Amino acid sequence: MKIGPIDLGEKPIFLAPMEDVTDMAFRLMCKRFGADMVYTEFVSSDALVRGVGKTLRKLAVDERERPVAIQIYGRDTATMVEAARLCEEAGPDLIDLNFGCPVKRVAGKGAGAGMLQNIPLMLEITREVVKAVHLPVTVKTRLGWDKDHLVIGDLAERLQDCGIAALTIHGRTRAQMYTGEADWRLIGEVKRDPRVHIPIIGNGDIDSAETCARRFEETGVDGAMIGRASFGRPWIFREVKHFLRTGQPLEPEPFMWYLEVLKRQVRESVEWLDERRGILHIRRHLAATPLFKGLPDFRATRVAMLRAETVDELFAIMDSVPARYGFDAPHSNP
């Protein structure tokens, strides 16, 4: 699969752009575990053009994470064009346009998935951004605004006509938010449309290597994107890549191997941000990780981890888990 000049190989796996999740530290972690392409947190075009410091920081990319995309969102053509130019100066490999974020503070103001209610403006923004930059431009969107407006079939062709280099489709409507099941049937229909020749990347509910392989087989998509299933589980990319390569599940590592991955994630988050913000940032990963699921009487320990305010305090709690549950030391370093 290629996006413009970027050759991603066969059946590439992408780390989805996620606010307050895909900072550089996490992107690099997922890259080490096999993610073929990573995306920044989404960037507000308005804030970027105004020069807001926190937003400008999101443009930072590292050579080790390439290929990497910067994703922007907004509802004004001129602002999106200017933001795209500023992103290009930051040196990513491509620019992605977010027409899929369903949260109220974005979609409710007409940006993100809100654009699904104003297709002419979506297409205008896309055309003008494509013309304004030299990098490949891609789009991420949803099936439609709601079940009565499943526009993705026609929309995919129209976005392609605007000059985008690839399209990512999340298999839900905006009305669904993140509830219910992702509808990969419609994603497959877009991929099989003979008039659509750009790469199609499927997104939604990929939570295991087996699920990912099945989606490729059922729909024929060119690539697959993993989002929430990576929370506290950056090794999912390693599992998926192994299964796609061999057709067999990857043998699990000892408990301590995974614990060391999470501790490394904490350290790198703190290095990227600072101790206070890094620990706050990592809490959603500690809350969501499958590593501790099923451990009896673990609730108090989980609460303590999520309340820890220093690295030393947090690591002391994490290190108490193996002894309590009798887990062995790692056979190899992550």
Side-chain angles (χ1 to χ4, degrees):
M1 170 186 168
K2 295 181 72 173
I3 299 179
I6 307 167
D7 191 342
L8 295 163
E10 185 180 359
K11 296 181 178 178
I13 308 301
F14 300 74
L15 171 65
M18 293 176 284
E19 178 71 358
D20 293 327
V21 175
T22 53
D23 64 359
M24 186 188 293
F26 188 60
R27 298 196 306 266
L28 286 168
M29 176 71 76
C30 293
K31 192 74 176 182
R32 283 195 293 270
F33 280 110
D36 293 293
M37 187 160 185
V38 296
Y39 291 67
T40 65
E41 303 171 77
F42 64 34
V43 176
S44 164
S45 59
D46 290 333
L48 183 55
V49 169
R50 294 199 313 270
V52 175
K54 182 179 179 181
T55 301
L56 291 171
R57 184 176 172 83
K58 292 180 180 179
L59 300 188
V61 298
D62 187 292
E63 289 299 315
R64 294 171 293 172
E65 61 179 318
R66 294 190 185 279
V68 56
I70 295 178
Q71 188 189 72
I72 58 175
Y73 72 94
R75 57 180 180 175
D76 173 75
T77 303
T79 305
M80 285 285 279
V81 166
E82 180 60 22
R85 289 179 173 139
L86 292 171
C87 290
E88 186 172 39
E89 292 174 6
D93 296 284
L94 63 85
I95 293 170
D96 189 68
L97 307 182
N98 181 320
F99 298 139
C101 178
V103 300
K104 186 175 181 180
R105 68 181 178 84
V106 175
K109 295 179 180 179
M115 282 287 168
L116 289 163
Q117 291 189 303
N118 193 343
I119 301 298
L121 180 56
M122 179 195 293
L123 298 175
E124 176 185 299
I125 288 173
T126 304
R127 277 193 302 269
E128 294 306 312
V129 169
V130 168
K131 288 193 296 184
V133 298
H134 298 96
L135 293 173
V137 175
T138 59
V139 163
K140 186 172 190 286
T141 190
R142 290 185 167 229
L143 303 177
W145 181 257
D146 56 33
K147 63 181 177 61
D148 296 320
H149 300 88
L150 299 174
V151 299
I152 192 61
D154 176 67
L155 180 59
E157 292 184 47
R158 298 174 75 182
L159 287 167
Q160 176 180 266
D161 291 343
C162 292
I164 64 172
L167 174 64
T168 300
I169 304 171
H170 182 102
R172 289 182 172 87
T173 63
R174 189 274 170 176
Q176 284 181 273
M177 300 293 284
Y178 295 102
T179 63
E181 293 184 5
D183 185 353
W184 281 73
R185 177 184 56 84
L186 289 177
I187 299 175
E189 288 182 7
V190 172
K191 175 57 193 172
R192 290 187 293 271
D193 184 343
R195 295 180 295 268
V196 174
H197 54 77
I198 58 174
I200 300 298
I201 303 157
N203 175 225
D205 295 346
I206 295 180
D207 57 6
S208 71
E210 292 83 354
T211 298
C212 187
R214 186 169 65 252
R215 294 309 189 192
F216 272 117
E217 182 178 352
E218 291 172 346
T219 66
V221 290
D222 300 282
M225 182 174 283
I226 296 175
R228 290 173 292 164
S230 68
F231 290 4
R233 189 187 175 190
W235 54 80
I236 190 174
F237 294 97
R238 181 174 179 253
E239 296 169 348
V240 169
K241 299 294 284 188
H242 178 86
F243 193 93
L244 292 176
R245 186 173 64 252
T246 68
Q248 298 295 323
L250 183 64
E251 285 293 321
E253 299 285 353
F255 179 91
M256 285 292 293
W257 187 93
Y258 299 105
L259 189 68
E260 287 300 320
V261 172
L262 293 182
K263 289 174 68 177
R264 182 173 181 175
Q265 196 174 335
V266 172
R267 286 192 293 268
E268 293 182 359
S269 180
V270 167
E271 288 172 7
W272 170 242
L273 299 167
D274 55 44
E275 186 168 51
R276 184 186 66 83
R277 290 185 299 157
I279 288 176
L280 286 173
H281 178 80
I282 211 69
R283 282 176 178 170
R284 81 167 61 207
H285 293 276
L286 295 176
T289 183
L291 183 60
F292 305 123
K293 289 183 179 177
L295 296 182
D297 302 317
F298 192 75
R299 184 177 183 278
T301 305
R302 186 187 306 277
V303 170
M305 281 196 303
L306 299 181
R307 288 178 176 174
E309 297 183 352
T310 68
V311 172
D312 288 345
E313 180 186 0
L314 177 56
F315 281 5
I317 298 166
M318 295 174 75
D319 288 341
S320 72
V321 176
R324 179 181 173 189
Y325 292 94
F327 292 119
D328 296 330
H331 298 167
S332 61
N333 291 322

